[in-house]
Amino acid sequence: MNTALNKYTKEAEESLYFLSKKVDIQKAEKLKRYINTQLSVYGLTSKEQSERLKQGFNFFEDSKLKTFKIFDKLYTESIYFEVKNLSFIYLDINHKHISALEQIKILPKWVKTVDNWAHSDNLSKFLSRLLEHEDTKDEMFKHIQKWNKSKFMWERRQSLVSLFYYSRTKTNYIDFEIAQQLIFNLIKDKEYYVQKSVGWALRECYNVYSDQTYSFIKKNITNITPIAFTTSIEKMTLKEKAELKKLRKKV
């Protein structure tokens, strides 16, 4: 490893490898299968990762932004699941100290190396904030529009989960008509994880636009796959669930 930033990546990888010596190999393999990733997995818990980050690394700078840019390198260079996670953990702790305008220069690029639902969901948390933020919402929406038509499965997934993430964490929401069209574009997508995102987006859209989302699902009852349907109705009333399930049986 030649560059200073590569040296920092090596430091993080070696540090987590040291911690993983106590981990049962079968535990690591089970986690790898669960998140369905091609990355190497140490098998460390979220708590273990967070505690190691709190101890700090030699590459930590006084500037939160400079440190975040190093974590950008860690995320894009490392082949280890938990090392990439460190970047999310650091940003979660320090996002208020890094402007949305700086975050949007970096975060949309991270989707290029996503290969599992856990990293996809973590990334959506921050991208949804950029979609909500006044300074970055227009640029972020352009990314979402592009990803919605992408050949890369994880970009398509990102285009839906990032719309609301968990709606309870938002104060401003994308318009229903816009969300509806983006969801409809992928409603028949053949990829399992994209279908999961269709269900996620509909569920969170229902939390914000209940009547409109219910009508959308009812109208598209024959188009929504079982994978997406199960998730989409999770937050509905028992009466609404029963009505939609009955309608699906008729078609």
Side-chain angles (χ1 to χ4, degrees):
M1 297 185 177
N2 299 319
T3 68
L5 287 175
N6 279 337
K7 181 179 70 174
Y8 301 151
T9 303
K10 183 178 180 181
E11 179 190 349
E13 289 180 350
E14 290 180 345
S15 176
L16 294 193
Y17 171 72
F18 177 78
L19 290 177
S20 73
K21 287 183 177 181
K22 301 178 182 179
V23 176
D24 187 330
I25 294 177
Q26 291 184 340
K27 177 183 175 182
E29 291 177 348
K30 183 178 180 181
L31 177 60
K32 183 179 175 73
R33 290 193 299 271
Y34 175 63
I35 59 179
N36 194 23
T37 183
Q38 296 302 310
L39 296 170
S40 297
V41 176
Y42 291 125
L44 298 172
T45 65
S46 298
K47 182 179 180 180
E48 288 171 327
Q49 295 168 53
S50 296
E51 288 179 348
R52 179 59 191 91
L53 180 70
K54 290 177 181 178
Q55 293 173 17
F57 291 96
N58 291 328
F59 57 75
F60 274 24
E61 300 275 356
D62 292 336
S63 165
K64 304 294 186 183
L65 176 58
K66 288 182 179 179
T67 305
F68 177 54
K69 288 182 177 179
I70 293 175
F71 274 107
D72 173 38
K73 282 292 184 181
L74 296 184
Y75 179 83
T76 55
E77 291 175 357
S78 183
I79 61 170
Y80 291 91
F81 174 76
E82 289 93 343
V83 173
K84 288 178 176 288
N85 279 351
L86 292 177
S87 301
F88 291 118
I89 298 169
Y90 181 82
L91 183 58
D92 199 30
I93 295 171
N94 296 288
H95 68 93
K96 292 182 179 180
H97 304 288
I98 303 168
S99 73
L101 290 173
E102 291 292 347
Q103 290 184 41
I104 203 165
K105 294 176 184 178
I106 292 174
L107 293 179
K109 299 176 184 178
W110 285 12
V111 70
K112 293 293 184 183
T113 60
V114 166
D115 88 328
N116 63 83
W117 60 263
H119 284 162
S120 176
D121 293 356
N122 277 331
L123 184 54
S124 291
K125 176 179 182 178
F126 301 104
L127 296 180
S128 68
R129 289 174 180 170
L130 296 179
L131 185 61
E132 187 179 20
H133 198 286
E134 189 64 33
D135 293 339
T136 54
K137 63 180 183 181
D138 291 339
E139 185 176 350
M140 189 64 243
F141 184 63
K142 289 179 182 178
H143 286 296
I144 285 176
Q145 286 180 305
K146 181 180 178 181
W147 295 341
N148 195 246
K149 301 175 182 178
S150 174
K151 293 181 179 180
F152 183 40
M153 172 184 72
W154 295 106
E155 288 187 332
R156 299 200 303 279
R157 177 182 171 86
Q158 214 75 61
S159 75
L160 296 190
V161 181
S162 299
L163 293 178
F164 298 99
Y165 183 56
Y166 288 106
S167 57
R168 67 177 182 272
T169 68
K170 308 290 140 200
T171 54
N172 298 311
Y173 308 101
I174 192 168
D175 290 345
F176 172 77
E177 288 74 17
I178 295 174
Q180 171 186 244
Q181 185 58 58
L182 292 168
I183 294 169
F184 183 77
N185 290 346
L186 300 177
I187 204 167
K188 293 185 178 181
D189 198 284
K190 297 184 182 301
E191 294 288 351
Y192 172 80
Y193 287 109
V194 177
Q195 281 301 321
K196 292 292 285 185
S197 75
V198 170
W200 182 324
L202 285 171
R203 181 192 66 202
E204 298 305 317
C205 191
Y206 172 83
N207 288 340
V208 181
Y209 305 107
S210 300
D211 293 342
Q212 292 157 290
T213 305
Y214 179 84
S215 296
F216 175 83
I217 293 175
K218 186 175 182 180
K219 180 180 178 180
N220 290 280
I221 201 72
T222 60
N223 293 323
I224 299 174
T225 69
I227 296 169
F229 181 73
T230 299
T231 304
S232 71
I233 66 172
E234 283 179 349
K235 303 298 182 180
M236 291 185 179
T237 66
L238 292 176
K239 181 181 179 181
E240 287 173 327
K241 289 179 182 180
E243 288 176 347
L244 290 176
K245 288 178 180 179
K246 183 177 180 181
L247 186 60
R248 278 177 73 85
K249 289 181 179 179
K250 290 182 177 179
V251 296

